[in-house]
Amino acid sequence: MNPMLRESPYPMLDVEAALATVLAHVAPLALEHVDALRAEGRILAEDLVASEDLPDLPKAAMDGYALRSSDGLLPRRVIAELTAGESAGLLVGPGEASRIMTGATMPTGADAMIPVELTRETDGMLVVDRAIRPGEHVHPVGQDLARGQLVLARGTRLNAAEVGILATLGITQVAVFRQPRVAVLATGDEVYEPGAPRPAGAVRDSNRYALLAAVREAGGVAISLGIARDDAAIQRRAILDGIAQADVLLTSGGVSMGTRDLIKPILAELGTIHFGRVKFKPGKPTTFASVGDTLVFGLPGYPVSSLVAFEVFVRPALRALQGDPQPVRPRAIARIDAAIRPSPDRPEYQRVRLAWRGAELWATSTGNQGSSRLLSMHGANGLLIVPPGAQVYPAGSSLEVLVTGDLR
């Protein structure tokens, strides 16, 4: 029987120092070229410059008539009709006008257009209600994008609008940072697959599946390594398997001080442990190591602790690996709608639902904050950072919050 540790050999880092340690070991992965029209969510690895003017020819901004502004209020003879996509090939001379539809190329000779609402056309003659200035209601060459203009900078996250811009420029392949391959390993004799029979006292493996989903949400490629029983040789083989195929390895459980907590000794043997405890709640035994080029996070076995540690430390690493220039979730100030008793010695990351009430952001607790109660993560879009102390924070107090989802 192995002896139980009475004191951890690892110093306890505060959250800021631990996160800085993680990010100091992260650099963006190599770039790869992907289908630009399906690249949403990816991070651009190169500056993109416009290769042409947009529009490349002057275009009508509205439905109406193309004309010469110098004709003033004189009646004009309507000589043609131009639609979008049609080559103009037309000369509008003095005293003439052409019907023109939105997006159609302006004909030669016409330097302005007038909306149809400001005109009357009778027997092929056009009368305008007011004089038009040169260039009025015309999209000039290069109005949207000028040739040589920086369109999207390296580090831009490609969302719907950016994919549309790529399509507008005719770009079908784009350089982005590679998505990290992230292997996830559950540990423990008491852990069983969700669909398997569960002996009394055993638990179903929620951690691995929650972490795999979190990895995908953060832009990583998730790899499941299954469950490793509490045997040093078995866990060592599983860890080596993960390291062989992944940029990042996440383990769940086995990082505390019990006789079957084997992850830290294995990581110390295989690589370097950068920290083995963090001064926060939940998730104190969170561990960060590197084995060769692979980053390893030893996450706690409690499901809430595992996901909170993922949000605070793992997700920023995954985003930074993808070249995200802002890998850390945004923070805000929120008022609490119920009193909170803080932990005496560690900042606590409480799960809350954030919502606007007028111009103020308010935080509502998701209920019991126990580390085993995964339901406390349900519906949460923020982690309220409650500083340690002896005094209760009364309702209405303002505290910092890590925003983890859309604000309502």
Side-chain angles (χ1 to χ4, degrees), residues 130-396:
R130 66 172 178 83
I132 299 296
R133 300 183 304 275
E136 194 166 350
H137 302 302
V138 175
H139 292 314
V141 171
Q143 172 182 280
D144 298 335
L145 289 173
R147 183 191 300 271
Q149 175 184 341
L150 176 63
V151 181
L152 298 174
R154 181 181 189 269
T156 297
R157 181 185 171 94
L158 300 177
N159 294 315
E162 289 73 26
V163 170
I165 291 170
L166 296 175
T168 298
L169 291 170
I171 296 172
T172 58
Q173 290 285 306
V174 66
V176 295
F177 292 104
R178 183 169 65 77
Q179 294 172 287
R181 296 183 298 268
V182 185
V184 182
L185 173 68
T187 68
D189 288 341
E190 78 283 16
V191 181
Y192 285 78
E193 286 286 355
R198 182 184 65 84
V203 297
R204 296 187 178 95
D205 184 7
S206 62
N207 286 13
R208 177 163 47 104
Y209 291 99
L211 289 171
L212 289 167
V215 166
R216 291 189 291 267
E217 188 276 333
V221 177
I223 303 167
S224 176
L225 297 178
I227 303 168
R229 298 301 169 200
D230 287 329
D231 178 279
I234 292 173
Q235 291 189 8
R236 188 178 190 278
R237 283 197 301 271
I239 287 171
L240 288 173
D241 180 35
I243 289 167
Q245 58 183 310
D247 303 295
V248 179
L249 170 64
L250 309 182
T251 66
S252 170
V255 291
S256 193
M257 295 171 63
T259 57
R260 296 298 184 95
D261 288 318
L262 307 171
I263 295 296
K264 284 175 179 170
I266 294 172
L267 294 179
E269 173 203 343
L270 296 176
T272 302
I273 293 182
H274 304 293
F275 60 77
R277 291 192 303 164
V278 181
K279 191 176 182 179
F280 85 135
K281 181 180 180 180
K284 182 171 73 171
T286 297
T287 300
F288 173 59
S290 55
V291 179
D293 294 329
T294 302
L295 305 179
V296 184
F297 292 88
L299 303 179
Y302 277 128
V304 174
S305 303
S306 178
L307 281 179
V308 170
F310 180 94
E311 275 291 341
V312 177
F313 301 112
V314 181
R315 189 181 189 279
L318 299 186
R319 296 306 306 167
L321 285 168
Q322 295 169 80
D324 192 336
Q326 296 179 316
V328 180
R329 298 271 203 188
R331 293 191 179 199
I333 299 297
R335 300 184 69 184
I336 56 175
D337 63 3
I340 293 177
R341 181 176 297 279
S343 171
D345 59 346
R346 288 176 286 156
E348 183 174 5
Y349 282 57
Q350 293 200 6
R351 285 68 70 200
V352 293
R353 297 185 179 98
L354 299 172
W356 292 104
R357 298 180 191 173
E360 292 184 314
L361 191 62
W362 284 79
T364 301
S365 173
T366 57
N368 185 315
Q369 296 289 301
S371 298
S372 63
R373 185 176 178 265
L374 192 52
L375 196 61
S376 73
M377 297 293 292
H378 170 63
N381 58 350
L383 293 174
L384 188 73
I385 304 171
V386 183
Q391 299 299 315
V392 171
Y393 290 97

